[in-house]
Amino acid sequence: MSVALTVVVLLLFGSPMASRLGDAGELWAVMLLPLVPFFLAGMLLANVFSRQTSASGQLYFADLAGAAAACLLTPLLLLGCGGLNLILVLALLTAFSAFVLAVIQAG
């Protein structure tokens, strides 16, 4: 998911295609590319909830608590990092978190 987010941001803002994104022919990229990370996140959450049905209440609470924390922290983080940098920092944080969880589960 974090890789997809990073790729989408780099394609939309850091590629040679970025200067043409206002054209009508390239509008599909602006509309469809950002859907990829959200689709992957939805698939991930659906998978987690289907595998951990007994803990679905706790998982749902953690999901809502994380969303609430993100709503509160986003304005502060945007002021500190800027929009594009914040997306990349959060993608790296997500990848690092996934790595730590993988190491914990393996050991």
Side-chain angles (χ1 to χ4, degrees):
M1 186 171 70
S2 62
V3 173
L5 181 61
T6 304
V7 168
V8 167
V9 168
L10 291 176
L11 281 175
L12 289 177
F13 298 107
S15 71
M17 183 177 74
S19 62
R20 300 188 331 248
L21 287 179
D23 298 340
E26 305 294 334
L27 190 59
W28 64 270
V30 175
M31 294 172 52
L32 295 179
L33 282 176
L35 294 177
V36 173
F38 293 104
F39 175 76
L40 293 174
M43 294 295 289
L44 173 76
L45 285 174
N47 190 7
V48 168
F49 278 101
S50 68
R51 289 177 184 243
Q52 302 293 331
T53 55
S54 62
S56 62
Q58 293 170 328
L59 290 169
Y60 190 59
F61 172 78
D63 183 40
L64 290 179
C71 286
L72 293 174
L73 292 175
T74 297
L76 299 174
L77 293 172
L78 281 171
L79 287 174
C81 297
L84 186 57
N85 291 335
L86 180 60
I87 291 172
L88 296 175
V89 166
L90 292 176
L92 286 173
L93 181 63
T94 304
F96 178 72
S97 300
F99 174 75
V100 168
L101 286 174
V103 168
I104 289 171
Q105 285 185 344

